[in-house]
Amino acid sequence: MATHPIRLQLPEGGIEALIETPDGPHRLVDLAFQVVGVSSVVAEMGEKAAARNGKPASCSKGCDACCWHLIQVSPPEAVFLSELVESMDEPRKSVVKKRFSRTIERLEKTGLLKKLEDPDDPLLKQAEEEYFFSRVPCPFLENRSCIIYEFRPSRCREYMVFTPPANCADPYRNQIGMLPVSIRMSEALTWLWASMTKEKPKYVPLVLSLKWAGENPATRSTGADPRRMIEVLCGLVENIAANVEREALQKKCSSRICEER
């Protein structure tokens, strides 16, 4: 086994961790599984900072509002979720796979499937709103709880709000205040995947993870030297976080100028 350090400098603070991998090449899918937890660490740091500034997170156990959104994951996360389902014991595996199948059938009937499968569709944003109001639950949602909470994708870890939970019932018409979490692990994993496969960067709707993984088997074996992958991934994470912080500052400055006018 080999040990590789992860060192990140983010707006929320510095993070250091160690990742163990077998000697030799490492699958990107396995690396994705190992690093998504960093999103939780950064989110917790952001949550504590927001609480100190009088904006505590309103998200709590039993709230499933975000589980009805169209969650986009990176290709390696999509494959990881597919493999996670395959590793489940029966009858849960069959139950979960049936939920995915029924969701696809439902999306196909409403015409949403075609829109979601085309990341370049100019109506994708509109499709995300349509998806939310069609009330399609995440296939991993049971009794208002996530059955893969420990293994949930990075996007699910990075989404937190400080506005009243009732506002989340209609996020397209109510004011939603999101906690400023700088990390975008799914974006970094997507760019890393794209650079390794020479493919165009893309995201996969979580509800299509099993379907996409089955249609793109090459992603399962995509891998390289783990140390190099980690170095590139850390660089991508820090660059994306810096851009997120820069955009937030620009937005804040723009709001102040508008108020002064």
Side-chain angles (χ1 to χ4, degrees):
M1 297 291 287
T3 302
H4 310 282
I6 284 184
R7 297 187 181 90
L8 294 170
Q9 286 299 323
L10 303 172
E12 291 84 355
I15 294 178
E16 291 191 9
L18 293 174
I19 286 183
E20 286 192 348
T21 68
D23 294 325
H26 192 52
R27 288 200 314 159
L28 178 56
V29 172
D30 295 326
L31 179 62
F33 163 67
Q34 291 173 300
V35 300
V36 291
V38 175
S39 293
S40 293
V41 175
V42 178
E44 288 171 5
M45 293 168 68
E47 183 179 2
K48 291 178 181 178
R52 289 194 295 269
N53 293 325
K55 292 183 177 180
S58 54
C59 304
S60 61
K61 187 176 181 180
C63 178
D64 63 351
C66 57
C67 302
W68 301 80
H69 283 276
L70 179 67
I71 302 298
Q72 303 271 22
V73 301
S74 64
E77 287 177 290
V79 174
F80 164 67
L81 291 174
S82 173
E83 294 184 350
L84 180 64
V85 172
E86 288 298 332
S87 72
M88 293 178 175
D89 294 329
E90 294 288 6
R92 169 157 281 178
K93 177 167 72 173
S94 294
V95 170
V96 173
K97 291 178 79 170
K98 186 172 290 186
R99 286 186 197 143
F100 273 91
S101 297
R102 287 177 176 172
T103 297
I104 290 177
E105 291 173 3
R106 184 173 170 182
L107 294 173
E108 196 166 22
K109 287 179 180 178
T110 61
L112 268 173
L113 181 61
K114 186 177 180 180
K115 297 177 184 176
L116 299 184
E117 287 186 315
D118 182 5
D120 297 321
D121 191 327
L123 298 178
L124 184 58
K125 283 294 181 182
Q126 180 180 326
E128 291 179 357
E129 182 175 351
E130 187 179 343
Y131 178 95
F132 178 80
F133 287 111
S134 66
R135 303 307 290 163
V136 179
C138 175
F140 295 119
L141 185 64
E142 281 185 13
N143 300 317
R144 303 195 70 178
S145 295
C146 176
I147 63 172
I148 62 161
Y149 188 79
E150 182 182 354
F151 307 109
R152 67 198 187 283
S154 55
R155 284 281 177 93
C156 301
R157 300 165 188 261
E158 297 160 7
Y159 186 91
M160 288 190 294
V161 303
F162 59 82
T163 41
N167 289 19
C168 294
D170 189 348
Y172 292 94
R173 294 175 178 80
N174 296 331
Q175 181 180 7
I176 303 295
M178 294 184 61
L179 292 181
V181 179
S182 69
I183 196 167
R184 297 288 185 273
M185 185 60 76
S186 61
E187 186 176 344
L189 285 168
T190 289
W191 280 97
L192 178 57
W193 169 83
S195 68
M196 293 175 66
T197 61
K198 308 305 179 186
E199 296 279 352
K200 181 180 178 181
K202 68 169 296 176
Y203 296 100
V204 181
L206 184 150
V207 292
L208 302 183
S209 292
L210 273 58
K211 182 176 184 295
W212 190 90
E215 295 171 348
N216 297 270
T219 297
R220 295 185 185 276
S221 57
T222 299
D225 174 69
R227 186 175 299 278
R228 178 56 182 160
M229 284 197 296
I230 291 170
E231 288 175 354
V232 174
L233 183 65
C234 287
L236 287 167
V237 168
E238 290 184 336
N239 287 338
I240 293 168
N243 289 334
V244 169
E245 185 182 33
R246 191 178 304 113
E247 289 172 4
L249 287 173
Q250 290 174 347
K251 186 176 181 181
K252 189 174 182 180
C253 289
S254 296
S255 298
R256 287 180 176 175
I257 292 173
C258 290
E259 288 176 1
E260 289 173 0
R261 287 179 178 174

Coordinates of all heavy atoms in Angstrom, one line a residue, residues 17-68:
A17 N -5.0 15.7 4.6 CA -5.5 14.3 4.8 C -4.6 13.4 4.1 O -3.7 13.8 3.3 CB -6.9 14.2 4.2
L18 N -4.7 12.1 4.4 CA -3.9 11.1 3.8 C -4.8 10.1 3.1 O -5.9 9.7 3.6 CB -3.1 10.3 4.8 CG -1.9 11.2 5.5 CD1 -1.3 10.4 6.6 CD2 -0.9 11.6 4.4
I19 N -4.4 9.6 1.9 CA -5.2 8.6 1.2 C -4.3 7.4 0.9 O -3.2 7.6 0.5 CB -5.7 9.2 -0.2 CG1 -6.9 10.2 0.1 CG2 -6.2 8.1 -1.1 CD1 -7.5 10.7 -1.2
E20 N -4.8 6.2 1.2 CA -4.1 5.0 1.0 C -4.6 4.4 -0.3 O -5.8 4.3 -0.6 CB -4.2 4.0 2.1 CG -3.4 4.4 3.4 CD -3.4 3.3 4.4 OE1 -4.1 2.3 4.2 OE2 -2.6 3.4 5.3
T21 N -3.6 3.9 -1.1 CA -4.0 3.2 -2.4 C -3.1 2.0 -2.6 O -1.9 2.0 -2.0 CB -3.8 4.2 -3.6 OG1 -2.4 4.4 -3.8 CG2 -4.6 5.5 -3.4
P22 N -3.5 1.0 -3.3 CA -2.6 -0.1 -3.6 C -1.5 0.4 -4.5 O -1.6 1.5 -5.1 CB -3.5 -1.0 -4.4 CG -4.9 -0.7 -4.1 CD -4.9 0.8 -3.8
D23 N -0.3 -0.3 -4.5 CA 0.8 0.1 -5.3 C 0.4 0.0 -6.8 O -0.4 -0.9 -7.1 CB 2.0 -0.8 -5.0 CG 2.5 -0.6 -3.6 OD1 2.5 0.6 -3.1 OD2 3.0 -1.6 -3.0
G24 N 0.9 0.9 -7.6 CA 0.6 0.8 -9.0 C -0.6 1.7 -9.4 O -1.0 2.5 -8.6
P25 N -1.1 1.6 -10.6 CA -2.2 2.5 -11.1 C -3.4 2.3 -10.2 O -3.7 1.3 -9.6 CB -2.4 1.9 -12.5 CG -1.2 1.3 -12.9 CD -0.6 0.7 -11.6
H26 N -4.2 3.4 -10.1 CA -5.4 3.5 -9.3 C -6.5 3.9 -10.1 O -6.4 4.8 -11.0 CB -5.1 4.5 -8.1 CG -6.1 4.4 -7.0 ND1 -6.4 3.3 -6.4 CD2 -6.8 5.4 -6.4 CE1 -7.3 3.5 -5.4 NE2 -7.6 4.8 -5.5
R27 N -7.7 3.3 -9.9 CA -8.9 3.7 -10.7 C -9.4 5.1 -10.2 O -9.5 5.4 -9.0 CB -10.0 2.7 -10.5 CG -9.8 1.4 -11.1 CD -11.2 0.7 -11.3 NE -12.0 0.7 -10.1 CZ -13.3 0.6 -10.1 NH1 -14.0 0.3 -11.2 NH2 -14.0 0.6 -9.0
L28 N -9.8 5.9 -11.2 CA -10.4 7.2 -10.9 C -11.6 7.1 -10.1 O -11.9 7.9 -9.2 CB -10.6 8.0 -12.2 CG -11.2 9.4 -12.1 CD1 -10.4 10.3 -11.1 CD2 -11.4 10.0 -13.4
V29 N -12.4 6.0 -10.4 CA -13.7 5.8 -9.7 C -13.4 5.6 -8.2 O -14.1 6.1 -7.3 CB -14.4 4.5 -10.2 CG1 -15.6 4.1 -9.4 CG2 -14.8 4.8 -11.7
D30 N -12.3 4.8 -7.9 CA -12.0 4.6 -6.5 C -11.5 5.9 -5.8 O -11.8 6.1 -4.6 CB -10.9 3.5 -6.4 CG -11.4 2.2 -6.8 OD1 -12.6 1.9 -6.6 OD2 -10.6 1.4 -7.5
L31 N -10.7 6.7 -6.6 CA -10.2 8.0 -6.0 C -11.4 8.9 -5.7 O -11.4 9.6 -4.7 CB -9.3 8.6 -7.0 CG -8.7 10.0 -6.6 CD1 -7.9 9.9 -5.3 CD2 -7.9 10.6 -7.7
A32 N -12.4 8.9 -6.6 CA -13.6 9.7 -6.4 C -14.3 9.3 -5.1 O -14.7 10.2 -4.3 CB -14.6 9.6 -7.6
F33 N -14.4 8.0 -4.8 CA -15.0 7.6 -3.6 C -14.2 8.0 -2.4 O -14.8 8.4 -1.3 CB -15.1 6.0 -3.6 CG -15.3 5.4 -2.3 CD1 -16.5 5.6 -1.6 CD2 -14.3 4.6 -1.7 CE1 -16.7 5.1 -0.3 CE2 -14.5 4.1 -0.4 CZ -15.7 4.3 0.3
Q34 N -12.9 8.1 -2.5 CA -12.0 8.4 -1.4 C -12.0 9.9 -1.1 O -11.8 10.3 0.1 CB -10.6 8.0 -1.7 CG -10.4 6.5 -1.7 CD -9.0 6.0 -2.1 OE1 -8.6 6.3 -3.2 NE2 -8.3 5.4 -1.2
V35 N -12.3 10.8 -2.1 CA -12.1 12.2 -1.9 C -13.5 13.0 -1.7 O -13.4 14.1 -1.2 CB -11.4 12.9 -3.0 CG1 -10.0 12.3 -3.2 CG2 -12.1 12.8 -4.3
V36 N -14.6 12.3 -1.9 CA -15.9 13.1 -1.8 C -16.1 13.5 -0.3 O -16.7 14.5 -0.1 CB -17.1 12.3 -2.2 CG1 -17.1 12.1 -3.7 CG2 -17.2 10.9 -1.5
G37 N -15.5 12.8 0.6 CA -15.6 13.2 2.0 C -15.0 14.5 2.3 O -15.4 15.2 3.3
V38 N -14.1 15.0 1.5 CA -13.4 16.3 1.7 C -14.5 17.4 1.6 O -14.5 18.4 2.3 CB -12.3 16.5 0.7 CG1 -11.8 17.9 0.8 CG2 -11.2 15.5 0.8
S39 N -15.5 17.1 0.7 CA -16.6 18.1 0.6 C -17.3 18.3 1.9 O -17.7 19.4 2.2 CB -17.6 17.6 -0.5 OG -17.0 17.6 -1.8
S40 N -17.5 17.2 2.6 CA -18.2 17.3 3.9 C -17.4 18.1 4.9 O -17.9 18.9 5.7 CB -18.4 15.9 4.5 OG -19.4 15.2 3.7
V41 N -16.1 17.9 4.9 CA -15.2 18.6 5.8 C -15.3 20.1 5.5 O -15.4 21.0 6.4 CB -13.7 18.1 5.7 CG1 -12.8 19.0 6.5 CG2 -13.6 16.7 6.1
V42 N -15.2 20.5 4.3 CA -15.2 21.9 3.9 C -16.6 22.5 4.2 O -16.7 23.6 4.7 CB -14.9 22.1 2.4 CG1 -15.0 23.6 2.0 CG2 -13.5 21.6 2.1
A43 N -17.7 21.7 3.9 CA -19.0 22.2 4.2 C -19.2 22.5 5.7 O -19.8 23.5 6.1 CB -20.0 21.2 3.7
E44 N -18.6 21.6 6.5 CA -18.7 21.8 8.0 C -18.0 23.0 8.4 O -18.4 23.8 9.3 CB -18.2 20.5 8.7 CG -19.1 19.3 8.6 CD -18.4 18.0 9.1 OE1 -17.3 18.2 9.6 OE2 -19.0 17.0 8.9
M45 N -16.8 23.3 7.8 CA -16.1 24.5 8.1 C -16.8 25.7 7.7 O -16.9 26.7 8.5 CB -14.7 24.4 7.4 CG -13.8 23.3 7.9 SD -12.4 23.1 6.8 CE -11.4 24.6 7.0
G46 N -17.5 25.7 6.6 CA -18.3 26.8 6.1 C -19.5 27.0 7.0 O -19.9 28.1 7.2
E47 N -20.1 25.9 7.4 CA -21.3 26.0 8.3 C -20.9 26.6 9.6 O -21.7 27.5 10.1 CB -21.8 24.6 8.5 CG -23.1 24.5 9.4 CD -23.6 23.1 9.6 OE1 -22.9 22.1 9.1 OE2 -24.6 22.9 10.2
K48 N -19.8 26.3 10.2 CA -19.4 26.9 11.5 C -19.1 28.4 11.3 O -19.5 29.2 12.2 CB -18.1 26.2 12.0 CG -18.4 24.7 12.5 CD -17.1 24.1 12.9 CE -17.4 22.6 13.4 NZ -16.2 21.9 13.8
A49 N -18.5 28.7 10.2 CA -18.2 30.2 9.9 C -19.4 30.9 9.8 O -19.6 32.1 10.3 CB -17.3 30.3 8.7
A50 N -20.4 30.4 9.0 CA -21.7 31.1 8.8 C -22.4 31.2 10.1 O -23.1 32.3 10.4 CB -22.5 30.3 7.8
A51 N -22.4 30.2 11.0 CA -23.1 30.3 12.3 C -22.5 31.4 13.2 O -23.2 32.1 13.9 CB -22.9 29.0 13.0
R52 N -21.1 31.6 13.1 CA -20.5 32.6 13.8 C -20.9 34.0 13.3 O -20.9 35.0 14.1 CB -19.0 32.5 13.7 CG -18.4 31.3 14.5 CD -16.9 31.5 14.7 NE -16.2 31.4 13.4 CZ -15.8 30.2 12.9 NH1 -15.9 29.1 13.5 NH2 -15.1 30.3 11.7
N53 N -21.3 34.1 12.1 CA -21.8 35.3 11.5 C -23.3 35.5 11.5 O -23.9 36.4 10.9 CB -21.3 35.4 10.0 CG -19.8 35.5 9.9 OD1 -19.2 36.2 10.7 ND2 -19.3 34.9 8.8
G54 N -23.9 34.7 12.4 CA -25.4 34.8 12.6 C -26.2 34.2 11.5 O -27.4 34.5 11.4
K55 N -25.7 33.3 10.7 CA -26.4 32.6 9.7 C -26.3 31.1 9.8 O -25.6 30.4 9.0 CB -26.0 33.0 8.3 CG -26.4 34.5 8.0 CD -26.0 34.8 6.6 CE -26.4 36.3 6.2 NZ -26.0 36.6 4.8
P56 N -26.9 30.5 10.9 CA -26.7 29.0 11.1 C -27.5 28.3 10.0 O -28.5 28.7 9.5 CB -27.3 28.8 12.4 CG -28.3 29.9 12.6 CD -27.7 31.1 11.9
A57 N -27.0 27.1 9.6 CA -27.7 26.3 8.6 C -29.0 25.8 9.1 O -29.2 25.5 10.3 CB -26.8 25.0 8.3
S58 N -30.0 25.8 8.3 CA -31.4 25.4 8.6 C -31.6 23.9 8.2 O -32.7 23.4 8.5 CB -32.4 26.3 8.0 OG -32.2 26.4 6.6
C59 N -30.6 23.3 7.5 CA -30.8 21.9 7.1 C -30.7 21.0 8.4 O -29.9 21.3 9.3 CB -29.7 21.5 6.2 SG -29.6 22.6 4.7
S60 N -31.5 20.0 8.4 CA -31.5 19.1 9.6 C -32.0 17.7 9.2 O -32.5 17.5 8.1 CB -32.4 19.6 10.7 OG -33.7 19.7 10.3
K61 N -31.7 16.8 10.0 CA -32.1 15.4 9.7 C -33.6 15.3 9.6 O -34.4 15.9 10.3 CB -31.7 14.5 10.9 CG -31.9 13.0 10.6 CD -31.3 12.2 11.8 CE -31.5 10.7 11.5 NZ -31.0 9.8 12.6
G62 N -34.0 14.6 8.5 CA -35.5 14.5 8.3 C -36.0 15.4 7.2 O -37.1 15.2 6.7
C63 N -35.1 16.4 6.8 CA -35.5 17.3 5.8 C -35.0 16.7 4.5 O -33.8 16.5 4.3 CB -34.9 18.7 6.0 SG -35.3 19.9 4.7
D64 N -35.9 16.5 3.5 CA -35.5 15.9 2.3 C -35.7 16.8 1.1 O -35.8 16.3 -0.1 CB -36.3 14.6 2.1 CG -37.8 14.8 1.9 OD1 -38.2 15.9 2.2 OD2 -38.5 13.8 1.6
A65 N -35.8 18.1 1.3 CA -36.2 19.0 0.2 C -35.2 18.9 -1.0 O -35.6 19.0 -2.1 CB -36.2 20.5 0.8
C66 N -33.9 18.8 -0.7 CA -32.9 18.8 -1.7 C -32.9 17.4 -2.5 O -32.3 17.3 -3.5 CB -31.5 19.1 -1.2 SG -30.9 18.0 0.1
C67 N -33.5 16.4 -1.9 CA -33.6 15.1 -2.6 C -34.5 15.0 -3.7 O -34.7 14.0 -4.3 CB -33.9 14.0 -1.5 SG -32.8 14.0 -0.1
W68 N -35.2 16.2 -4.0 CA -36.1 16.2 -5.2 C -35.6 17.1 -6.3 O -36.2 17.3 -7.3 CB -37.5 16.8 -4.7 CG -38.1 15.9 -3.6 CD1 -37.8 15.9 -2.3 CD2 -39.1 14.9 -3.7 NE1 -38.5 15.0 -1.6 CE2 -39.3 14.4 -2.4 CE3 -39.8 14.4 -4.8 CZ2 -40.3 13.4 -2.2 CZ3 -40.8 13.4 -4.6 CH2 -41.0 12.9 -3.3

